[in-house]
């Protein structure tokens, strides 16, 4: 499947990835439809979407990577935080936290010197500090915790990627 075909097939699904609503039946229905595409998705598609500079493609790429449980994409996802695009920052951090929990040996090194931690009202630094806390074993998240720029719920993002990884 090509990125264009995925967007055509999923329509505006990418918008629901900004603020996933696990209790919303409409969101769950869209998520289920997306998961049904699993056999048509591959690593190449995920990587192509992740490496795009727009947040829409990145969100779809993160979702494809989680659905495939392709942990080899973790370095590419971490690199998106070096050239962040708005609404993909918190989802990238959530994906990396889930990846760390499920396959810690595949986690890329985290050298904060390569990142501008002040970008997007400090959201890059905020999400990387949460990732660092996960690596050090001191991470916890409250339902009210949101990113400083777009107000994305870290807990909802983590739940989204957990769900996608658990889909069989």
């Amino acid at each position: 499947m090509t990125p264009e075909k995925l967007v055509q097939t999923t329509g505006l699904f990418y918008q629901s990835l900004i603020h996933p609503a696990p209790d919303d039946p409409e969101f769950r229905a869209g998520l289920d439809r997306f998961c049904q595409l699993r056999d048509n998705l591959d690593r190449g598609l995920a990587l192509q979407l992740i490496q795009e500079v727009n947040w829409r493609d990145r969100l779809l790429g993160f979702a494809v990577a989680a659905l495939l449980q392709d942990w080899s994409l973790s370095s590419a996802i971490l690199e998106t935080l070096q050239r962040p695009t708005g609404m993909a920052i918190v989802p990238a951090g959530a994906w990396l936290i889930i990846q760390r929990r499920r396959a810690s040996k595949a986690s890329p090194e985290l050298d904060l010197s390569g990142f501008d931690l002040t970008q997007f009202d400090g959201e890059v630094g905020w999400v990387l500090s949460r990732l660092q806390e996960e690596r050090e074993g001191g991470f916890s998240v409250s339902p009210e915790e949101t990113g400083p720029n777009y107000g994305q719920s870290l807990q909802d993002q983590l739940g989204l990627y957990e769900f996608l990884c658990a889909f069989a």
Side-chain angles (χ1 to χ4, degrees):
M1 181 174 294
T2 66
E4 296 78 19
K5 180 71 174 166
L6 179 62
V7 170
Q8 181 183 27
T9 303
T10 59
L12 297 177
F13 174 70
Y14 68 87
Q15 289 181 342
S16 66
L17 299 175
I18 300 168
H19 295 283
D23 297 330
D24 178 8
E26 189 174 320
F27 171 73
R28 292 301 283 224
L31 192 57
D32 288 341
R33 285 189 301 274
F34 176 77
C35 289
Q36 296 304 317
L37 298 173
R38 188 179 192 283
D39 292 340
N40 299 312
L41 308 174
D42 61 36
R43 181 187 190 283
L45 172 65
L47 182 60
Q48 189 175 357
L49 290 164
I50 290 164
Q51 290 177 333
E52 288 293 330
V53 292
N54 70 66
W55 60 266
R56 293 166 193 86
D57 286 346
R58 285 185 178 178
L59 291 180
L60 283 171
F62 300 160
V64 170
L67 189 59
L68 298 175
Q69 294 187 52
D70 191 332
W71 309 128
S72 70
L73 294 166
S74 58
S75 292
I77 292 175
L78 183 60
E79 287 172 12
T80 67
L81 295 173
Q82 291 176 318
R83 42 183 183 50
T85 54
M87 292 179 260
I89 297 168
V90 174
W95 192 99
L96 290 164
I97 289 169
I98 296 302
Q99 180 273 323
R100 176 76 182 174
R101 291 177 182 173
R102 290 179 163 260
S104 62
K105 291 183 182 189
S107 292
E109 291 295 318
L110 182 59
D111 177 6
L112 297 181
S113 65
F115 300 90
D116 180 351
L117 304 178
T118 65
Q119 285 185 304
F120 291 92
D121 297 328
E123 194 160 86
V124 172
W126 178 83
V127 82
L128 288 172
S129 69
R130 299 306 175 280
L131 181 56
Q132 189 66 31
E133 290 168 8
E134 175 69 25
R135 289 168 171 256
E136 295 169 356
F139 176 77
S140 67
V141 62
S142 70
E144 301 82 29
E145 191 169 8
T146 61
N149 194 40
Y150 288 107
Q152 291 169 292
S153 166
L154 184 55
Q155 184 168 328
D156 288 348
Q157 291 290 333
L158 291 168
L160 168 66
Y161 294 113
E162 279 289 353
F163 177 85
L164 289 168
C165 289
F167 185 82

